[in-house]
């Protein structure tokens, strides 16, 4: 039988969702699936937005649900960016931002990200300068950022938001929970900055990419998006219950988080011991590493032959890099050992 491939290329979470999620799935009264939810009778969109509101201390009407953060980012751009208006995005970032800006005929400008010795960093002064030069309608900040893995500190974020009152500032926080379980700052941000929009997802940390649920927190000036995104017949009743079961499983996810952080450190240390490799600090469930250009193809082939798929970057300034999604402890160990055995079995180590 052919061995199943292990995909560590799309930042999915191989630990899988908490046992309580499967329990909720099995317990479901499937009759409920034949009807729309009636959560609106309580004046809320969904029991999930209601639950998030209690959890985060943010008014329910400032919380939107969507078909993943992908959908919410697209909706925000379609709602707020008109043809010919500018959106500012990080120099290195998720390719999808470009696609949604293009969909509405937006003009995409980038702001620089600094490469320091073993990490990428947002350059706050350069970001604020870019805002002043380009006068954008929207600014996108991904924190932590994909693929470089860098974050913006809360202090810097506040500085940036204070400098950009005229734009809608979107924070893509798809990966935040891996490094920062604290959510208390979210309430402060949406109360203090009426122009901020924060997107989060159940896909990554909660390992629920398949149920397609994300949420957005809206600053008070952005209620137009509430109307734009209204779903009068409710949301996916199964997904919203599974997401709540995940929110209830703190212990499971905390244990997973500790294991992942340990493995990020393992990859960082061991990749950096390989001649010609340079791994960057990451605050996410993936790690970026520069490798010698001529190693891309043979390494890809070698790993595939042994059942592993990782991401070989192919972007303007990041084209000699791999991005490894952190899998389970066992997968991570196997992958790291395979990379080492590739180096031993070929003469690449001597060539760099
Ligand atoms: C930076 C970033 N934001 C958002 C998403 C979207 O996640 P989802 O639509 O599954 O919530 C991804 C997915 O890979 C991502 O890399």
């Amino acid at each position: 039988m052919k061995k199943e491939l292990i995909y560590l290329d799309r930042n999915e979470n191989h630990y899988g969702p908490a046992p309580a999620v499967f329990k909720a799935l099995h317990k479901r009264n499937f009759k409920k699936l034949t009807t729309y939810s009636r959560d609106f009778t309580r004046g809320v969109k969904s029991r999930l937005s209601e639950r998030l509101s209690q959890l985060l201390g943010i008014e329910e009407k400032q919380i939107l649900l969507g078909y993943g953060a992908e959908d919410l980012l697209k909706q925000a751009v379609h709602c707020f960016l008109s043809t010919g208006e500018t959106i500012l995005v990080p120099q290195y970032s998720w390719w999808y931002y470009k696609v949604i800006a293009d969909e509405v005929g937006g003009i995409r400008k980038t702001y620089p990200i600094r490469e320091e010795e073993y990490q990428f960093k947002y350059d706050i002064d350069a970001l604020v300068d870019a805002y002043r030069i380009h006068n954008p309608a929207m600014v996108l900040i991904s924190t932590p950022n994909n693929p470089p893995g860098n974050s913006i500190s809360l202090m810097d974020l506040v500085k940036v938001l204070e400098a950009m009152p005229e734009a809608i500032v979107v924070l893509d926080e798809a990966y935040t929970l891996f490094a920062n379980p604290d959510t208390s700052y979210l309430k402060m941000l949406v109360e203090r900055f009426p122009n901020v929009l924060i997107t989060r997802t159940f896909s990554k940390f909660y390992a629920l990419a398949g149920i397609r649920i994300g949420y957005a927190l809206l600053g008070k000036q952005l209620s137009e998006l509430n109307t734009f995104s209204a779903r009068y017949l409710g949301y996916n009743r199964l997904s919203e219950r599974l997401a709540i079961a995940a929110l209830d499983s703190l212990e499971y996810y905390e244990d997973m988080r500790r294991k992942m952080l340990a493995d990020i450190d393992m990859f960082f240390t061991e990749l950096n011991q390989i001649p010609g490799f340079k791994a960057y600090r990451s605050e996410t469930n993936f790690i970026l590493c520069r490798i010698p250009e001529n190693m891309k193809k043979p390494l890809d082939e070698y790993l595939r032959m042994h059942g592993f798929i990782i991401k070989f970057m192919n972007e303007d300034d990041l084209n000699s890099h791999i991005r490894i999604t952190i899998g389970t402890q066992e997968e991570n160990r196997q992958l790291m050992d395979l990379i080492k055995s590739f180096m031993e079995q070929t003469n690449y180590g001597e060539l760099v």
Side-chain angles (χ1 to χ4, degrees):
M1 206 174 78
K2 198 166 177 283
K3 204 174 147 202
E4 263 193 46
L5 290 171
I6 296 172
Y7 288 89
L8 294 175
D9 61 337
R10 290 177 83 191
N11 305 339
E12 291 146 335
N13 181 342
H14 284 194
Y15 281 98
V21 173
F22 293 107
K23 236 192 238 161
L25 190 60
H26 292 135
K27 219 171 61 186
R28 277 297 33 91
N29 170 1
F30 279 90
K31 277 196 190 133
K32 287 222 165 78
L33 298 185
T34 66
T35 58
Y36 300 120
S37 92
R38 283 181 166 59
D39 292 341
F40 70 89
T41 57
R42 292 197 307 283
V44 298
K45 288 175 222 59
S46 146
R47 62 190 51 211
L48 177 57
S49 51
E50 188 178 28
R51 176 62 196 280
L52 289 165
S53 164
Q54 288 157 2
L55 209 66
L56 305 173
I58 293 172
E59 279 191 63
E60 195 274 342
K61 64 175 187 297
Q62 289 174 265
I63 302 178
L64 295 184
L65 300 180
Y67 196 78
E70 167 195 354
D71 173 43
L72 289 157
L73 290 163
K74 185 202 268 269
Q75 287 191 56
V77 166
H78 279 251
C79 179
F80 293 123
L81 191 72
S82 304
T83 306
E85 284 186 330
T86 298
I87 181 167
L88 209 52
V89 302
Q91 175 188 3
Y92 310 117
S93 60
W94 190 28
W95 55 266
Y96 183 70
Y97 304 153
K98 171 179 176 348
V99 174
I100 47 179
D102 288 351
E103 281 172 0
V104 297
I107 297 169
R108 198 173 36 95
K109 298 281 179 193
T110 56
Y111 58 89
I113 293 198
R114 257 194 351 252
E115 181 179 342
E116 293 192 347
E117 202 182 358
Y118 285 103
Q119 61 184 332
F120 286 91
K121 281 209 164 162
Y122 278 115
D123 182 334
I124 303 310
D125 293 336
L127 171 51
V128 173
D129 282 350
Y131 169 78
R132 295 200 176 117
I133 293 164
H134 298 297
N135 189 26
M138 293 182 93
V139 177
L140 226 148
I141 301 170
S142 179
T143 177
N145 193 11
N146 174 16
N150 64 301
S151 290
I152 188 167
S153 71
L154 186 57
M155 215 171 73
D156 282 343
L157 185 56
V158 167
K159 237 193 257 174
V160 166
L161 283 160
E162 278 172 347
M164 301 183 176
E166 302 298 330
I168 292 167
V169 181
V170 179
L171 301 183
D172 180 349
E173 292 199 337
Y175 298 97
T176 302
L177 286 171
F178 288 107
N180 180 15
D182 174 29
T183 53
S184 59
Y185 67 95
L186 296 169
K187 180 178 162 68
M188 180 279 283
L189 287 181
V190 293
E191 280 181 359
R192 187 160 159 200
F193 298 101
N195 57 332
V196 75
L197 193 160
I198 304 163
T199 57
R200 290 191 157 210
T201 181
F202 283 88
S203 298
K204 307 295 182 182
F205 184 74
Y206 293 108
L208 285 169
I211 70 167
R212 307 307 296 128
I213 284 266
Y215 60 97
L217 309 172
L218 298 185
K220 296 234 160 83
Q221 197 183 297
L222 307 181
S223 54
E224 191 185 335
L225 186 58
N226 234 330
T227 314
F228 184 90
S229 113
R231 300 288 181 260
Y232 298 102
L233 299 179
Y235 292 83
N236 181 322
R237 301 192 73 181
L238 204 49
S239 296
E240 58 194 13
R241 280 159 203 262
L242 301 183
I244 289 172
L247 290 173
D248 285 338
S249 304
L250 283 179
E251 223 174 281
Y252 172 84
Y253 287 105
E254 189 46 34
D255 179 56
M256 175 205 79
R257 207 169 73 81
R258 274 197 298 268
K259 289 178 184 149
M260 282 195 162
L261 288 177
D263 276 359
I264 277 264
D265 276 351
M266 179 278 286
F267 274 122
F268 179 79
T269 307
E270 297 192 22
L271 287 169
N272 277 318
Q273 284 163 355
I274 299 178
F277 279 45
K278 182 174 172 187
Y280 298 90
R281 291 252 169 240
S282 166
E283 298 182 44
T284 62
N285 70 333
F286 55 84
I287 185 162
L288 186 73
C289 179
R290 197 169 70 211
I291 63 170
E293 169 83 45
N294 62 352
M295 206 181 277
K296 277 171 71 175
K297 196 160 175 276
L299 180 60
D300 191 13
E301 281 166 4
Y302 184 84
L303 294 180
R304 278 173 190 270
M305 200 170 71
H306 290 85
F308 278 83
I309 309 283
I310 62 168
K311 173 96 175 162
F312 286 78
M313 304 302 301
N314 195 15
E315 295 172 16
D316 287 350
D317 301 317
L318 291 180
N319 50 22
S320 190
H321 299 71
I322 52 174
R323 191 195 63 196
I324 298 172
T325 301
I326 308 304
T328 62
Q329 284 177 310
E330 196 187 353
E331 290 166 346
N332 298 332
R333 189 66 263 157
Q334 274 179 37
L335 176 62
M336 195 58 238
D337 288 346
L338 273 173
I339 295 174
K340 286 181 183 172
S341 70
F342 168 82
M343 296 302 292
E344 281 160 17
Q345 285 172 29
T346 61
N347 63 349
Y348 278 99
E350 291 149 33
L351 295 177
V352 292

